[in-house]
mmCIF file with all atom_site columns, all heavy atoms in Angstrom:
data_model
loop_
_atom_site.group_PDB
_atom_site.id
_atom_site.type_symbol
_atom_site.label_atom_id
_atom_site.label_alt_id
_atom_site.label_comp_id
_atom_site.label_asym_id
_atom_site.label_entity_id
_atom_site.label_seq_id
_atom_site.pdbx_PDB_ins_code
_atom_site.Cartn_x
_atom_site.Cartn_y
_atom_site.Cartn_z
_atom_site.occupancy
_atom_site.B_iso_or_equiv
_atom_site.pdbx_formal_charge
_atom_site.auth_seq_id
_atom_site.auth_comp_id
_atom_site.auth_asym_id
_atom_site.auth_atom_id
_atom_site.pdbx_PDB_model_num
ATOM 1   N N   . SER A 1 29 ? -4.004 -63.865 52.900 1.00 90.00 ? 861 SER A N   1
ATOM 2   C CA  . SER A 1 29 ? -3.874 -62.660 52.088 1.00 90.00 ? 861 SER A CA  1
ATOM 3   C C   . SER A 1 29 ? -2.550 -61.999 52.445 1.00 90.00 ? 861 SER A C   1
ATOM 4   O O   . SER A 1 29 ? -2.232 -61.855 53.623 1.00 90.00 ? 861 SER A O   1
ATOM 5   C CB  . SER A 1 29 ? -5.035 -61.714 52.386 1.00 90.00 ? 861 SER A CB  1
ATOM 6   O OG  . SER A 1 29 ? -4.873 -60.480 51.724 1.00 90.00 ? 861 SER A OG  1
ATOM 7   N N   . PHE A 1 30 ? -1.781 -61.599 51.435 1.00 90.00 ? 862 PHE A N   1
ATOM 8   C CA  . PHE A 1 30 ? -0.480 -60.975 51.650 1.00 90.00 ? 862 PHE A CA  1
ATOM 9   C C   . PHE A 1 30 ? -0.400 -59.673 50.882 1.00 90.00 ? 862 PHE A C   1
ATOM 10  O O   . PHE A 1 30 ? -0.891 -59.576 49.768 1.00 90.00 ? 862 PHE A O   1
ATOM 11  C CB  . PHE A 1 30 ? 0.650  -61.881 51.146 1.00 90.00 ? 862 PHE A CB  1
ATOM 12  C CG  . PHE A 1 30 ? 0.718  -63.211 51.827 1.00 90.00 ? 862 PHE A CG  1
ATOM 13  C CD1 . PHE A 1 30 ? 0.024  -64.301 51.324 1.00 90.00 ? 862 PHE A CD1 1
ATOM 14  C CD2 . PHE A 1 30 ? 1.469  -63.383 52.972 1.00 90.00 ? 862 PHE A CD2 1
ATOM 15  C CE1 . PHE A 1 30 ? 0.084  -65.537 51.935 1.00 90.00 ? 862 PHE A CE1 1
ATOM 16  C CE2 . PHE A 1 30 ? 1.544  -64.617 53.595 1.00 90.00 ? 862 PHE A CE2 1
ATOM 17  C CZ  . PHE A 1 30 ? 0.851  -65.697 53.084 1.00 90.00 ? 862 PHE A CZ  1
ATOM 18  N N   . GLU A 1 31 ? 0.271  -58.667 51.471 1.00 90.00 ? 863 GLU A N   1
ATOM 19  C CA  . GLU A 1 31 ? 0.622  -57.432 50.777 1.00 90.00 ? 863 GLU A CA  1
ATOM 20  C C   . GLU A 1 31 ? 2.128  -57.284 50.905 1.00 90.00 ? 863 GLU A C   1
ATOM 21  O O   . GLU A 1 31 ? 2.706  -57.693 51.912 1.00 90.00 ? 863 GLU A O   1
ATOM 22  C CB  . GLU A 1 31 ? -0.071 -56.230 51.397 1.00 90.00 ? 863 GLU A CB  1
ATOM 23  C CG  . GLU A 1 31 ? -1.563 -56.203 51.164 1.00 90.00 ? 863 GLU A CG  1
ATOM 24  C CD  . GLU A 1 31 ? -2.179 -54.966 51.774 1.00 90.00 ? 863 GLU A CD  1
ATOM 25  O OE1 . GLU A 1 31 ? -2.397 -54.969 52.989 1.00 90.00 ? 863 GLU A OE1 1
ATOM 26  O OE2 . GLU A 1 31 ? -2.406 -54.008 51.023 1.00 90.00 ? 863 GLU A OE2 1
ATOM 27  N N   . TYR A 1 33 ? 5.889  -54.902 50.192 1.00 89.00 ? 865 TYR A N   1
ATOM 28  C CA  . TYR A 1 33 ? 6.616  -53.671 49.895 1.00 89.00 ? 865 TYR A CA  1
ATOM 29  C C   . TYR A 1 33 ? 7.204  -53.793 48.492 1.00 89.00 ? 865 TYR A C   1
ATOM 30  O O   . TYR A 1 33 ? 7.336  -54.895 47.963 1.00 89.00 ? 865 TYR A O   1
ATOM 31  C CB  . TYR A 1 33 ? 7.769  -53.472 50.890 1.00 89.00 ? 865 TYR A CB  1
ATOM 32  C CG  . TYR A 1 33 ? 7.351  -53.080 52.281 1.00 89.00 ? 865 TYR A CG  1
ATOM 33  C CD1 . TYR A 1 33 ? 7.431  -53.995 53.328 1.00 89.00 ? 865 TYR A CD1 1
ATOM 34  C CD2 . TYR A 1 33 ? 6.923  -51.793 52.566 1.00 89.00 ? 865 TYR A CD2 1
ATOM 35  C CE1 . TYR A 1 33 ? 7.078  -53.640 54.619 1.00 89.00 ? 865 TYR A CE1 1
ATOM 36  C CE2 . TYR A 1 33 ? 6.558  -51.425 53.857 1.00 89.00 ? 865 TYR A CE2 1
ATOM 37  C CZ  . TYR A 1 33 ? 6.651  -52.346 54.875 1.00 89.00 ? 865 TYR A CZ  1
ATOM 38  O OH  . TYR A 1 33 ? 6.296  -51.990 56.153 1.00 89.00 ? 865 TYR A OH  1
ATOM 39  N N   . GLN A 1 37 ? 9.618  -57.535 50.334 1.00 90.00 ? 869 GLN A N   1
ATOM 40  C CA  . GLN A 1 37 ? 9.349  -57.992 51.695 1.00 90.00 ? 869 GLN A CA  1
ATOM 41  C C   . GLN A 1 37 ? 7.847  -57.922 51.969 1.00 90.00 ? 869 GLN A C   1
ATOM 42  O O   . GLN A 1 37 ? 7.129  -57.081 51.426 1.00 90.00 ? 869 GLN A O   1
ATOM 43  C CB  . GLN A 1 37 ? 10.086 -57.115 52.723 1.00 90.00 ? 869 GLN A CB  1
ATOM 44  C CG  . GLN A 1 37 ? 11.576 -57.279 52.715 1.00 90.00 ? 869 GLN A CG  1
ATOM 45  C CD  . GLN A 1 37 ? 12.013 -58.624 53.290 1.00 90.00 ? 869 GLN A CD  1
ATOM 46  O OE1 . GLN A 1 37 ? 11.268 -59.345 53.947 1.00 90.00 ? 869 GLN A OE1 1
ATOM 47  N NE2 . GLN A 1 37 ? 13.250 -58.964 53.021 1.00 90.00 ? 869 GLN A NE2 1
ATOM 48  N N   . THR A 1 38 ? 7.379  -58.809 52.835 1.00 91.00 ? 870 THR A N   1
ATOM 49  C CA  . THR A 1 38 ? 5.963  -58.824 53.214 1.00 91.00 ? 870 THR A CA  1
ATOM 50  C C   . THR A 1 38 ? 5.622  -57.608 54.064 1.00 91.00 ? 870 THR A C   1
ATOM 51  O O   . THR A 1 38 ? 6.326  -57.300 55.018 1.00 91.00 ? 870 THR A O   1
ATOM 52  C CB  . THR A 1 38 ? 5.627  -60.103 53.999 1.00 91.00 ? 870 THR A CB  1
ATOM 53  O OG1 . THR A 1 38 ? 5.926  -61.234 53.184 1.00 91.00 ? 870 THR A OG1 1
ATOM 54  C CG2 . THR A 1 38 ? 4.158  -60.150 54.394 1.00 91.00 ? 870 THR A CG2 1
ATOM 55  N N   . TYR A 1 39 ? 4.550  -56.893 53.715 1.00 91.00 ? 871 TYR A N   1
ATOM 56  C CA  . TYR A 1 39 ? 4.038  -55.765 54.493 1.00 91.00 ? 871 TYR A CA  1
ATOM 57  C C   . TYR A 1 39 ? 3.017  -56.260 55.511 1.00 91.00 ? 871 TYR A C   1
ATOM 58  O O   . TYR A 1 39 ? 3.053  -55.909 56.672 1.00 91.00 ? 871 TYR A O   1
ATOM 59  C CB  . TYR A 1 39 ? 3.413  -54.717 53.573 1.00 91.00 ? 871 TYR A CB  1
ATOM 60  C CG  . TYR A 1 39 ? 2.569  -53.709 54.305 1.00 91.00 ? 871 TYR A CG  1
ATOM 61  C CD1 . TYR A 1 39 ? 3.159  -52.759 55.117 1.00 91.00 ? 871 TYR A CD1 1
ATOM 62  C CD2 . TYR A 1 39 ? 1.180  -53.720 54.204 1.00 91.00 ? 871 TYR A CD2 1
ATOM 63  C CE1 . TYR A 1 39 ? 2.388  -51.844 55.817 1.00 91.00 ? 871 TYR A CE1 1
ATOM 64  C CE2 . TYR A 1 39 ? 0.405  -52.812 54.889 1.00 91.00 ? 871 TYR A CE2 1
ATOM 65  C CZ  . TYR A 1 39 ? 1.011  -51.871 55.699 1.00 91.00 ? 871 TYR A CZ  1
ATOM 66  O OH  . TYR A 1 39 ? 0.236  -50.977 56.391 1.00 91.00 ? 871 TYR A OH  1
ATOM 67  N N   . SER A 1 40 ? 2.063  -57.086 55.054 1.00 91.00 ? 872 SER A N   1
ATOM 68  C CA  . SER A 1 40 ? 1.044  -57.607 55.964 1.00 91.00 ? 872 SER A CA  1
ATOM 69  C C   . SER A 1 40 ? 0.636  -59.018 55.562 1.00 91.00 ? 872 SER A C   1
ATOM 70  O O   . SER A 1 40 ? 0.759  -59.409 54.404 1.00 91.00 ? 872 SER A O   1
ATOM 71  C CB  . SER A 1 40 ? -0.195 -56.701 55.986 1.00 91.00 ? 872 SER A CB  1
ATOM 72  O OG  . SER A 1 40 ? -0.878 -56.764 54.751 1.00 91.00 ? 872 SER A OG  1
ATOM 73  N N   . HIS A 1 41 ? 0.166  -59.745 56.549 1.00 90.00 ? 873 HIS A N   1
ATOM 74  C CA  . HIS A 1 41 ? -0.345 -61.096 56.346 1.00 90.00 ? 873 HIS A CA  1
ATOM 75  C C   . HIS A 1 41 ? -1.626 -61.207 57.160 1.00 90.00 ? 873 HIS A C   1
ATOM 76  O O   . HIS A 1 41 ? -1.619 -60.982 58.364 1.00 90.00 ? 873 HIS A O   1
ATOM 77  C CB  . HIS A 1 41 ? 0.680  -62.128 56.799 1.00 90.00 ? 873 HIS A CB  1
ATOM 78  C CG  . HIS A 1 41 ? 0.185  -63.536 56.683 1.00 90.00 ? 873 HIS A CG  1
ATOM 79  N ND1 . HIS A 1 41 ? 0.528  -64.508 57.565 1.00 90.00 ? 873 HIS A ND1 1
ATOM 80  C CD2 . HIS A 1 41 ? -0.648 -64.120 55.793 1.00 90.00 ? 873 HIS A CD2 1
ATOM 81  C CE1 . HIS A 1 41 ? -0.066 -65.647 57.235 1.00 90.00 ? 873 HIS A CE1 1
ATOM 82  N NE2 . HIS A 1 41 ? -0.780 -65.422 56.159 1.00 90.00 ? 873 HIS A NE2 1
ATOM 83  N N   . LEU A 1 42 ? -2.718 -61.520 56.484 1.00 89.00 ? 874 LEU A N   1
ATOM 84  C CA  . LEU A 1 42 ? -4.023 -61.658 57.130 1.00 89.00 ? 874 LEU A CA  1
ATOM 85  C C   . LEU A 1 42 ? -4.634 -62.987 56.731 1.00 89.00 ? 874 LEU A C   1
ATOM 86  O O   . LEU A 1 42 ? -4.233 -63.582 55.746 1.00 89.00 ? 874 LEU A O   1
ATOM 87  C CB  . LEU A 1 42 ? -4.981 -60.554 56.670 1.00 89.00 ? 874 LEU A CB  1
ATOM 88  C CG  . LEU A 1 42 ? -4.532 -59.132 56.791 1.00 89.00 ? 874 LEU A CG  1
ATOM 89  C CD1 . LEU A 1 42 ? -4.245 -58.580 55.422 1.00 89.00 ? 874 LEU A CD1 1
ATOM 90  C CD2 . LEU A 1 42 ? -5.608 -58.332 57.433 1.00 89.00 ? 874 LEU A CD2 1
ATOM 91  N N   . LYS A 1 52 ? -4.908 -63.899 63.502 1.00 81.00 ? 884 LYS A N   1
ATOM 92  C CA  . LYS A 1 52 ? -3.821 -62.938 63.664 1.00 81.00 ? 884 LYS A CA  1
ATOM 93  C C   . LYS A 1 52 ? -3.581 -62.164 62.376 1.00 81.00 ? 884 LYS A C   1
ATOM 94  O O   . LYS A 1 52 ? -3.458 -62.739 61.310 1.00 81.00 ? 884 LYS A O   1
ATOM 95  C CB  . LYS A 1 52 ? -2.539 -63.663 64.064 1.00 81.00 ? 884 LYS A CB  1
ATOM 96  C CG  . LYS A 1 52 ? -1.446 -62.706 64.494 1.00 81.00 ? 884 LYS A CG  1
ATOM 97  C CD  . LYS A 1 52 ? -0.057 -63.283 64.664 1.00 81.00 ? 884 LYS A CD  1
ATOM 98  C CE  . LYS A 1 52 ? 0.100  -64.435 65.548 1.00 81.00 ? 884 LYS A CE  1
ATOM 99  N NZ  . LYS A 1 52 ? 1.517  -64.763 65.818 1.00 81.00 ? 884 LYS A NZ  1
ATOM 100 N N   . ARG A 1 53 ? -3.520 -60.847 62.513 1.00 85.00 ? 885 ARG A N   1
ATOM 101 C CA  . ARG A 1 53 ? -3.159 -59.958 61.414 1.00 85.00 ? 885 ARG A CA  1
ATOM 102 C C   . ARG A 1 53 ? -1.770 -59.446 61.731 1.00 85.00 ? 885 ARG A C   1
ATOM 103 O O   . ARG A 1 53 ? -1.542 -58.886 62.800 1.00 85.00 ? 885 ARG A O   1
ATOM 104 C CB  . ARG A 1 53 ? -4.161 -58.807 61.351 1.00 85.00 ? 885 ARG A CB  1
ATOM 105 C CG  . ARG A 1 53 ? -3.897 -57.829 60.256 1.00 85.00 ? 885 ARG A CG  1
ATOM 106 C CD  . ARG A 1 53 ? -5.006 -56.801 60.238 1.00 85.00 ? 885 ARG A CD  1
ATOM 107 N NE  . ARG A 1 53 ? -4.715 -55.796 59.240 1.00 85.00 ? 885 ARG A NE  1
ATOM 108 C CZ  . ARG A 1 53 ? -5.533 -54.820 58.918 1.00 85.00 ? 885 ARG A CZ  1
ATOM 109 N NH1 . ARG A 1 53 ? -6.690 -54.711 59.503 1.00 85.00 ? 885 ARG A NH1 1
ATOM 110 N NH2 . ARG A 1 53 ? -5.202 -53.948 58.017 1.00 85.00 ? 885 ARG A NH2 1
ATOM 111 N N   . MET A 1 54 ? -0.822 -59.650 60.829 1.00 89.00 ? 886 MET A N   1
ATOM 112 C CA  . MET A 1 54 ? 0.563  -59.304 61.117 1.00 89.00 ? 886 MET A CA  1
ATOM 113 C C   . MET A 1 54 ? 1.079  -58.241 60.167 1.00 89.00 ? 886 MET A C   1
ATOM 114 O O   . MET A 1 54 ? 0.828  -58.298 58.967 1.00 89.00 ? 886 MET A O   1
ATOM 115 C CB  . MET A 1 54 ? 1.437  -60.554 61.017 1.00 89.00 ? 886 MET A CB  1
ATOM 116 C CG  . MET A 1 54 ? 1.068  -61.602 62.043 1.00 89.00 ? 886 MET A CG  1
ATOM 117 S SD  . MET A 1 54 ? 2.061  -63.094 61.900 1.00 89.00 ? 886 MET A SD  1
ATOM 118 C CE  . MET A 1 54 ? 1.332  -63.832 60.436 1.00 89.00 ? 886 MET A CE  1
ATOM 119 N N   . TYR A 1 55 ? 1.806  -57.275 60.726 1.00 90.00 ? 887 TYR A N   1
ATOM 120 C CA  . TYR A 1 55 ? 2.461  -56.231 59.953 1.00 90.00 ? 887 TYR A CA  1
ATOM 121 C C   . TYR A 1 55 ? 3.967  -56.369 60.116 1.00 90.00 ? 887 TYR A C   1
ATOM 122 O O   . TYR A 1 55 ? 4.454  -56.724 61.188 1.00 90.00 ? 887 TYR A O   1
ATOM 123 C CB  . TYR A 1 55 ? 2.042  -54.843 60.433 1.00 90.00 ? 887 TYR A CB  1
ATOM 124 C CG  . TYR A 1 55 ? 0.620  -54.516 60.097 1.00 90.00 ? 887 TYR A CG  1
ATOM 125 C CD1 . TYR A 1 55 ? -0.372 -54.618 61.054 1.00 90.00 ? 887 TYR A CD1 1
ATOM 126 C CD2 . TYR A 1 55 ? 0.276  -54.106 58.818 1.00 90.00 ? 887 TYR A CD2 1
ATOM 127 C CE1 . TYR A 1 55 ? -1.689 -54.330 60.747 1.00 90.00 ? 887 TYR A CE1 1
ATOM 128 C CE2 . TYR A 1 55 ? -1.038 -53.810 58.501 1.00 90.00 ? 887 TYR A CE2 1
ATOM 129 C CZ  . TYR A 1 55 ? -2.017 -53.917 59.472 1.00 90.00 ? 887 TYR A CZ  1
ATOM 130 O OH  . TYR A 1 55 ? -3.313 -53.634 59.168 1.00 90.00 ? 887 TYR A OH  1
ATOM 131 N N   . PHE A 1 56 ? 4.695  -56.046 59.039 1.00 92.00 ? 888 PHE A N   1
ATOM 132 C CA  . PHE A 1 56 ? 6.146  -56.175 59.040 1.00 92.00 ? 888 PHE A CA  1
ATOM 133 C C   . PHE A 1 56 ? 6.780  -54.878 58.560 1.00 92.00 ? 888 PHE A C   1
ATOM 134 O O   . PHE A 1 56 ? 6.177  -54.137 57.785 1.00 92.00 ? 888 PHE A O   1
ATOM 135 C CB  . PHE A 1 56 ? 6.577  -57.301 58.088 1.00 92.00 ? 888 PHE A CB  1
ATOM 136 C CG  . PHE A 1 56 ? 5.991  -58.634 58.446 1.00 92.00 ? 888 PHE A CG  1
ATOM 137 C CD1 . PHE A 1 56 ? 4.733  -59.009 57.989 1.00 92.00 ? 888 PHE A CD1 1
ATOM 138 C CD2 . PHE A 1 56 ? 6.691  -59.518 59.249 1.00 92.00 ? 888 PHE A CD2 1
ATOM 139 C CE1 . PHE A 1 56 ? 4.190  -60.243 58.321 1.00 92.00 ? 888 PHE A CE1 1
ATOM 140 C CE2 . PHE A 1 56 ? 6.158  -60.749 59.586 1.00 92.00 ? 888 PHE A CE2 1
ATOM 141 C CZ  . PHE A 1 56 ? 4.904  -61.107 59.122 1.00 92.00 ? 888 PHE A CZ  1
ATOM 142 N N   . ASN A 1 57 ? 8.014  -54.606 59.013 1.00 91.00 ? 889 ASN A N   1
ATOM 143 C CA  . ASN A 1 57 ? 8.735  -53.444 58.486 1.00 91.00 ? 889 ASN A CA  1
ATOM 144 C C   . ASN A 1 57 ? 9.400  -53.828 57.166 1.00 91.00 ? 889 ASN A C   1
ATOM 145 O O   . ASN A 1 57 ? 9.308  -54.973 56.734 1.00 91.00 ? 889 ASN A O   1
ATOM 146 C CB  . ASN A 1 57 ? 9.736  -52.890 59.512 1.00 91.00 ? 889 ASN A CB  1
ATOM 147 C CG  . ASN A 1 57 ? 10.848 -53.852 59.856 1.00 91.00 ? 889 ASN A CG  1
ATOM 148 O OD1 . ASN A 1 57 ? 11.176 -54.768 59.104 1.00 91.00 ? 889 ASN A OD1 1
ATOM 149 N ND2 . ASN A 1 57 ? 11.434 -53.654 61.021 1.00 91.00 ? 889 ASN A ND2 1
ATOM 150 N N   . LYS A 1 58 ? 10.080 -52.873 56.527 1.00 92.00 ? 890 LYS A N   1
ATOM 151 C CA  . LYS A 1 58 ? 10.665 -53.126 55.205 1.00 92.00 ? 890 LYS A CA  1
ATOM 152 C C   . LYS A 1 58 ? 11.812 -54.123 55.235 1.00 92.00 ? 890 LYS A C   1
ATOM 153 O O   . LYS A 1 58 ? 12.240 -54.594 54.196 1.00 92.00 ? 890 LYS A O   1
ATOM 154 C CB  . LYS A 1 58 ? 11.118 -51.820 54.569 1.00 92.00 ? 890 LYS A CB  1
ATOM 155 C CG  . LYS A 1 58 ? 9.955  -50.976 54.096 1.00 92.00 ? 890 LYS A CG  1
ATOM 156 C CD  . LYS A 1 58 ? 10.423 -49.764 53.323 1.00 92.00 ? 890 LYS A CD  1
ATOM 157 C CE  . LYS A 1 58 ? 9.221  -49.017 52.787 1.00 92.00 ? 890 LYS A CE  1
ATOM 158 N NZ  . LYS A 1 58 ? 9.607  -47.888 51.952 1.00 92.00 ? 890 LYS A NZ  1
ATOM 159 N N   . MET A 1 59 ? 12.303 -54.458 56.437 1.00 91.00 ? 891 MET A N   1
ATOM 160 C CA  . MET A 1 59 ? 13.361 -55.463 56.560 1.00 91.00 ? 891 MET A CA  1
ATOM 161 C C   . MET A 1 59 ? 12.784 -56.853 56.829 1.00 91.00 ? 891 MET A C   1
ATOM 162 O O   . MET A 1 59 ? 13.501 -57.809 57.012 1.00 91.00 ? 891 MET A O   1
ATOM 163 C CB  . MET A 1 59 ? 14.336 -55.065 57.666 1.00 91.00 ? 891 MET A CB  1
ATOM 164 C CG  . MET A 1 59 ? 15.092 -53.782 57.336 1.00 91.00 ? 891 MET A CG  1
ATOM 165 S SD  . MET A 1 59 ? 16.265 -53.276 58.608 1.00 91.00 ? 891 MET A SD  1
ATOM 166 C CE  . MET A 1 59 ? 15.196 -53.045 59.998 1.00 91.00 ? 891 MET A CE  1
ATOM 167 N N   . GLY A 1 60 ? 11.438 -56.944 56.901 1.00 89.00 ? 892 GLY A N   1
ATOM 168 C CA  . GLY A 1 60 ? 10.788 -58.230 57.102 1.00 89.00 ? 892 GLY A CA  1
ATOM 169 C C   . GLY A 1 60 ? 10.582 -58.612 58.553 1.00 89.00 ? 892 GLY A C   1
ATOM 170 O O   . GLY A 1 60 ? 10.185 -59.735 58.846 1.00 89.00 ? 892 GLY A O   1
ATOM 171 N N   . GLU A 1 61 ? 10.797 -57.680 59.480 1.00 90.00 ? 893 GLU A N   1
ATOM 172 C CA  . GLU A 1 61 ? 10.639 -57.963 60.910 1.00 90.00 ? 893 GLU A CA  1
ATOM 173 C C   . GLU A 1 61 ? 9.201  -57.676 61.347 1.00 90.00 ? 893 GLU A C   1
ATOM 174 O O   . GLU A 1 61 ? 8.641  -56.638 60.997 1.00 90.00 ? 893 GLU A O   1
ATOM 175 C CB  . GLU A 1 61 ? 11.606 -57.112 61.732 1.00 90.00 ? 893 GLU A CB  1
ATOM 176 C CG  . GLU A 1 61 ? 13.058 -57.368 61.388 1.00 90.00 ? 893 GLU A CG  1
ATOM 177 C CD  . GLU A 1 61 ? 13.994 -56.321 61.954 1.00 90.00 ? 893 GLU A CD  1
ATOM 178 O OE1 . GLU A 1 61 ? 13.607 -55.141 62.062 1.00 90.00 ? 893 GLU A OE1 1
ATOM 179 O OE2 . GLU A 1 61 ? 15.126 -56.687 62.287 1.00 90.00 ? 893 GLU A OE2 1
ATOM 180 N N   . LEU A 1 62 ? 8.629  -58.583 62.111 1.00 89.00 ? 894 LEU A N   1
ATOM 181 C CA  . LEU A 1 62 ? 7.266  -58.421 62.618 1.00 89.00 ? 894 LEU A CA  1
ATOM 182 C C   . LEU A 1 62 ? 7.220  -57.231 63.571 1.00 89.00 ? 894 LEU A C   1
ATOM 183 O O   . LEU A 1 62 ? 8.023  -57.136 64.496 1.00 89.00 ? 894 LEU A O   1
ATOM 184 C CB  . LEU A 1 62 ? 6.823  -59.689 63.345 1.00 89.00 ? 894 LEU A CB  1
ATOM 185 C CG  . LEU A 1 62 ? 5.423  -59.691 63.932 1.00 89.00 ? 894 LEU A CG  1
ATOM 186 C CD1 . LEU A 1 62 ? 4.382  -59.591 62.829 1.00 89.00 ? 894 LEU A CD1 1
ATOM 187 C CD2 . LEU A 1 62 ? 5.207  -60.956 64.751 1.00 89.00 ? 894 LEU A CD2 1
ATOM 188 N N   . ILE A 1 63 ? 6.292  -56.294 63.338 1.00 88.00 ? 895 ILE A N   1
ATOM 189 C CA  . ILE A 1 63 ? 6.223  -55.118 64.190 1.00 88.00 ? 895 ILE A CA  1
ATOM 190 C C   . ILE A 1 63 ? 4.918  -54.987 64.954 1.00 88.00 ? 895 ILE A C   1
ATOM 191 O O   . ILE A 1 63 ? 4.888  -54.387 66.009 1.00 88.00 ? 895 ILE A O   1
ATOM 192 C CB  . ILE A 1 63 ? 6.481  -53.814 63.402 1.00 88.00 ? 895 ILE A CB  1
ATOM 193 C CG1 . ILE A 1 63 ? 5.525  -53.678 62.219 1.00 88.00 ? 895 ILE A CG1 1
ATOM 194 C CG2 . ILE A 1 63 ? 7.910  -53.731 62.959 1.00 88.00 ? 895 ILE A CG2 1
ATOM 195 C CD1 . ILE A 1 63 ? 5.602  -52.354 61.504 1.00 88.00 ? 895 ILE A CD1 1
ATOM 196 N N   . GLU A 1 64 ? 3.815  -55.542 64.444 1.00 73.00 ? 896 GLU A N   1
ATOM 197 C CA  . GLU A 1 64 ? 2.553  -55.301 65.129 1.00 73.00 ? 896 GLU A CA  1
ATOM 198 C C   . GLU A 1 64 ? 1.506  -56.365 64.812 1.00 73.00 ? 896 GLU A C   1
ATOM 199 O O   . GLU A 1 64 ? 0.722  -56.208 63.888 1.00 73.00 ? 896 GLU A O   1
ATOM 200 C CB  . GLU A 1 64 ? 2.016  -53.919 64.739 1.00 73.00 ? 896 GLU A CB  1
ATOM 201 C CG  . GLU A 1 64 ? 0.868  -53.459 65.584 1.00 73.00 ? 896 GLU A CG  1
ATOM 202 C CD  . GLU A 1 64 ? 0.479  -52.031 65.243 1.00 73.00 ? 896 GLU A CD  1
ATOM 203 O OE1 . GLU A 1 64 ? 1.246  -51.313 64.634 1.00 73.00 ? 896 GLU A OE1 1
ATOM 204 O OE2 . GLU A 1 64 ? -0.636 -51.664 65.610 1.00 73.00 ? 896 GLU A OE2 1
ATOM 205 N N   . PRO A 1 65 ? 1.441  -57.442 65.607 1.00 76.00 ? 897 PRO A N   1
ATOM 206 C CA  . PRO A 1 65 ? 0.368  -58.417 65.373 1.00 76.00 ? 897 PRO A CA  1
ATOM 207 C C   . PRO A 1 65 ? -0.930 -57.956 66.040 1.00 76.00 ? 897 PRO A C   1
ATOM 208 O O   . PRO A 1 65 ? -0.910 -57.306 67.079 1.00 76.00 ? 897 PRO A O   1
ATOM 209 C CB  . PRO A 1 65 ? 0.900  -59.692 66.025 1.00 76.00 ? 897 PRO A CB  1
ATOM 210 C CG  . PRO A 1 65 ? 1.813  -59.202 67.087 1.00 76.00 ? 897 PRO A CG  1
ATOM 211 C CD  . PRO A 1 65 ? 2.380  -57.891 66.608 1.00 76.00 ? 897 PRO A CD  1
ATOM 212 N N   . LEU A 1 81 ? 10.893 -53.263 69.605 1.00 41.00 ? 913 LEU A N   1
ATOM 213 C CA  . LEU A 1 81 ? 12.191 -53.735 69.128 1.00 41.00 ? 913 LEU A CA  1
ATOM 214 C C   . LEU A 1 81 ? 13.269 -52.767 69.605 1.00 41.00 ? 913 LEU A C   1
ATOM 215 O O   . LEU A 1 81 ? 13.131 -51.570 69.464 1.00 41.00 ? 913 LEU A O   1
ATOM 216 C CB  . LEU A 1 81 ? 12.197 -53.813 67.595 1.00 41.00 ? 913 LEU A CB  1
ATOM 217 C CG  . LEU A 1 81 ? 11.160 -54.745 66.985 1.00 41.00 ? 913 LEU A CG  1
ATOM 218 C CD1 . LEU A 1 81 ? 11.185 -54.607 65.479 1.00 41.00 ? 913 LEU A CD1 1
ATOM 219 C CD2 . LEU A 1 81 ? 11.447 -56.172 67.385 1.00 41.00 ? 913 LEU A CD2 1
#
Side-chain angles (χ1 to χ4, degrees):
S861 174
F862 299 90
E863 290 182 280
Y865 288 107
Q869 291 289 345
T870 301
Y871 166 71
S872 69
H873 177 215
L874 307 108
K884 191 191 306 190
R885 180 176 176 175
M886 297 178 285
Y887 290 101
F888 301 86
N889 64 22
K890 287 187 176 184
M891 295 180 299
E893 300 167 327
L894 180 64
I895 55 173
E896 191 174 342
L913 300 174

